[in-house]
Amino acid sequence: MYRRPLAVIVVGLLFAGLLPSATLAVAPAARTVSFEAPGPASRPGELVAITVRLPANVAALDGRLLVSGGAAELVGLAPQSAGRAFMPVEIPGGYAFGAYDLASVDGQATVLNLVIDPRRTGRIHVRVAIDAAADAAGSRLTLAGTESVVAIAVGASGASLDAPAAGAHPTPVRAAGAIHGSFRHAQINNQDLDVSRADWQQARALGKACALSADLVEADANGDGCLDIVDVQALAAAAANSAASSVGITTLRAANGATVSQGGGLSSVVTASAVTYAHTFIVTSPLDTPDAAPGNNICADANGNCTLRAALTEADYLIGQDLITFNLPAPAHIQLSGSLPLITALSGGVTIDGYTQPGARVNTVAIGSNAVPGLSISGNGSAAREVAFYMTSPNNVLRGLVINRIWRAIFMDGSNAHDNRIVGNWIGFNPDGTNNGGSDYGVVNNVGANHNFIGTSDLADRNVIGNFQKGVDSYGPGTDFNTIQNNVFCIGPTGLTTATCSTGVDHDFGPKNELLGGAGPNERNVFGPTTLQGIEY
């Protein structure tokens, strides 16, 4: 399919010297961290960068940028050499940030730029605190000078805004041990790294870097009591050294002790009608209870109920394409007790088809949507920081779902999250089409997610997304060649009610070659009321 190139390369502007950043000259190697203030910004919204210089052996770091009163936004991290950075996570008082697989510049220093969008005039003081650092092998490094307050001058105003205090830095509670991946693997591979990336973000969102909840303990890869960038870098190094890190055979260990082999992922999406499914799970219970014996090919909680949570767990363990269907008592509704299990399998995707629920039907009209999605899923509001569907793998399909009251409804993360289809859903609404608080993001393509489809030109595939700060957000380098088509944003399914968003579709910090809409039948997107922009680059 032809995709119209829409280049959005904020990082390129920085490297080309078009932003008023500090000098990019390489400093001599040092044992301490140094911070260089940016040049002045003439007005709010003019991007600037704080340059952070670290010893040359630093390959990963995480930390916080703290600023009072929302006076500035951390847009992202731009490594001056190689490296992979996370999407900044909003926390009280500012943002958490992290990056790994960093490389030094000419062997002299590892250099990062914190790209900032100032939102007020005056002298905005931001505090940067480095919380953890690791070398390329994933061993923890102790650095000096890891905290600094940097002033950003914006406009001609003389007003000054102080930075919040950083408080105590997260500290490991015990010595690190041997590196382990997800409990399911006999050998560490890229699936473990994908899970670790997701868990790092969840721990930051919940403020639990070194106060781990039970569901995050397993993600502490080195067992030192903290889930931080050290774990991510250790798994990245182990996956790179593994013969099964990206292709070939991976050995998995099921809960019953049996082992199975997992091959490489499928190369492209195939439609549901053309798929031969290796496993089919029929969800018959609206409860949100976990699978009792993961990996045994039986969707059942402790009482024998096949729940969506249990079905997702089984599908992630097993090899091949999987199908999850529904036969629930009406009205078909699941109240989440927390984020659903990650969707990470590289051996074959999972199709979650709400239109299999009795009484459901797909959209058939050209304007709005007359669909009857089969299943509604509710989170616990923005403060709970839950993600309904978090995908780090390819060839998954989500269709026929209503998702509401959730921090992030659908999150596709990393370069393995490709060729996924988000189609025929209502996100931010009740099953009857009335508004039901969305939250921050409806759908996210994040840092490397590529070639995904959010809607297609088929009428049945139209999504209706509203009541979110951002209906769809594409973020970060490598988030390329995604298609957003035939959707309704910020309007109710009938087309007659408002479902206001801050921004309908946003593009931040590097996504390229996206096809947004199109010239063919049923390819356009329709945008309703927004408080900022319908589309933002």
Side-chain angles (χ1 to χ4, degrees):
M1 176 181 292
Y2 171 77
R3 293 177 174 85
R4 185 176 304 153
L6 297 174
V8 189
I9 316 177
V10 175
V11 177
L13 297 177
L14 177 63
F15 293 166
L18 300 181
L19 298 181
S21 172
T23 175
L24 299 180
V26 177
R31 295 182 179 181
T32 60
V33 182
S34 66
F35 303 86
E36 296 180 10
S42 61
R43 63 187 184 279
E46 183 178 301
L47 300 184
V48 297
I50 296 173
T51 300
V52 183
R53 300 186 184 280
L54 304 116
N57 63 334
V58 174
L61 85 167
D62 62 23
R64 292 161 288 154
L65 184 144
L66 303 170
V67 58
S68 291
E73 175 187 0
L74 177 59
V75 178
L77 274 65
Q80 191 166 320
S81 186
R84 301 186 66 186
F86 288 95
M87 180 183 193
V89 179
E90 286 194 58
I91 59 174
Y95 300 86
F97 61 82
Y100 65 101
D101 274 350
L102 301 169
S104 65
V105 181
D106 295 333
Q108 299 297 306
T110 298
V111 183
L112 282 174
N113 294 282
L114 307 183
V115 180
I116 296 169
D117 179 5
R119 295 177 173 175
R120 296 186 184 179
T121 58
R123 290 183 64 80
I124 301 172
H125 292 87
V126 299
R127 187 181 303 273
V128 182
I130 306 302
D131 290 326
D135 63 15
S139 297
R140 188 177 297 276
L141 296 174
T142 300
L143 304 176
T146 57
E147 186 175 323
S148 181
V149 175
V150 178
I152 301 172
V154 185
S157 171
S160 181
L161 189 67
D162 293 335
H169 291 252
T171 304
V173 299
R174 64 184 72 91
I179 302 300
H180 69 274
S182 170
F183 68 93
R184 73 194 72 185
H185 293 115
Q187 187 174 25
I188 292 171
N189 67 11
N190 277 341
Q191 192 174 5
D192 294 293
L193 176 58
D194 287 340
V195 172
S196 180
R197 286 168 44 88
D199 287 335
W200 182 93
Q201 293 175 88
Q202 185 71 2
R204 294 304 170 284
L206 297 174
K208 294 180 177 179
C210 293
L212 301 180
S213 54
D215 59 325
L216 291 174
V217 169
E218 185 61 35
D220 176 16
N222 62 14
D224 66 1
C226 289
L227 201 175
D228 56 23
I229 205 67
V230 180
D231 299 294
V232 177
Q233 182 61 42
L235 289 173
N241 292 330
S242 170
S245 63
S246 56
V247 295
I249 300 299
T250 299
T251 301
L252 310 184
R253 183 175 291 112
N256 59 10
T259 58
V260 292
S261 295
Q262 172 175 311
L266 300 177
S267 61
S268 63
V269 161
V270 288
T271 60
S273 61
V275 172
T276 299
Y277 292 104
H279 313 92
T280 298
F281 301 105
I282 304 173
V283 175
T284 56
S285 170
L287 299 176
D288 191 36
T289 46
D291 196 59
N296 69 351
N297 198 17
I298 300 173
C299 173
D301 67 6
N303 294 314
N305 301 304
C306 182
T307 65
L308 175 59
R309 186 175 293 275
L312 284 169
T313 299
E314 286 297 327
D316 216 43
Y317 268 85
L318 301 172
I319 306 306
Q321 293 284 123
D322 300 314
L323 174 64
I324 297 176
T325 66
F326 299 89
N327 188 8
L328 292 166
H333 175 254
I334 295 173
Q335 174 60 56
L336 296 182
S337 58
S339 298
L340 286 166
L342 301 180
I343 299 173
T344 69
L346 300 178
S347 67
V350 58
T351 294
I352 303 165
D353 192 351
Y355 288 121
T356 59
Q357 170 71 16
R361 68 168 187 266
V362 300
N363 174 60
T364 59
V365 298
I367 297 175
S369 175
N370 67 351
V372 179
L375 171 67
S376 68
I377 300 171
S378 296
N380 296 283
S382 179
R385 294 295 184 100
E386 296 162 336
V387 181
F389 295 98
Y390 196 123
M391 290 180 282
T392 65
S393 58
N395 303 300
N396 303 293
V397 180
L398 300 183
R399 67 190 301 264
L401 305 175
V402 175
I403 309 172
N404 56 43
R405 299 191 67 248
I406 194 81
W407 181 49
R408 294 174 176 176
I410 299 168
F411 199 87
M412 294 175 281
D413 184 37
S415 58
N416 286 328
H418 60 80
D419 294 291
N420 296 296
R421 295 199 175 205
I422 311 302
V423 293
N425 303 290
W426 292 1
I427 304 174
F429 301 93
N430 288 311
D432 64 0
T434 57
N435 293 340
N436 190 339
S439 183
D440 287 12
Y441 298 95
V443 182
V444 179
N445 290 305
N446 188 54
V447 189
N450 64 93
H451 293 89
N452 297 303
F453 290 83
I454 302 170
T456 77
S457 59
D458 190 327
L459 289 176
D461 287 348
R462 177 175 296 151
N463 298 293
V464 184
I465 304 173
N467 301 300
F468 281 88
Q469 288 188 30
K470 298 181 180 181
V472 172
D473 187 36
S474 293
Y475 180 90
T479 306
D480 303 336
F481 295 104
N482 295 296
T483 298
I484 302 171
Q485 207 169 60
N486 188 28
N487 302 292
V488 175
F489 291 99
C490 317
I491 309 174
T494 64
L496 301 176
T497 59
T498 62
T500 305
C501 315
S502 294
T503 300
V505 176
D506 198 4
H507 307 79
D508 282 324
F509 214 63
K512 303 186 297 295
N513 297 300
E514 179 178 279
L515 176 60
L516 180 58
N522 303 320
E523 291 183 348
R524 70 174 183 175
N525 298 287
V526 177
F527 291 83
T530 61
T531 58
L532 295 177
Q533 287 79 231
I535 303 169
E536 179 181 299
Y537 291 96

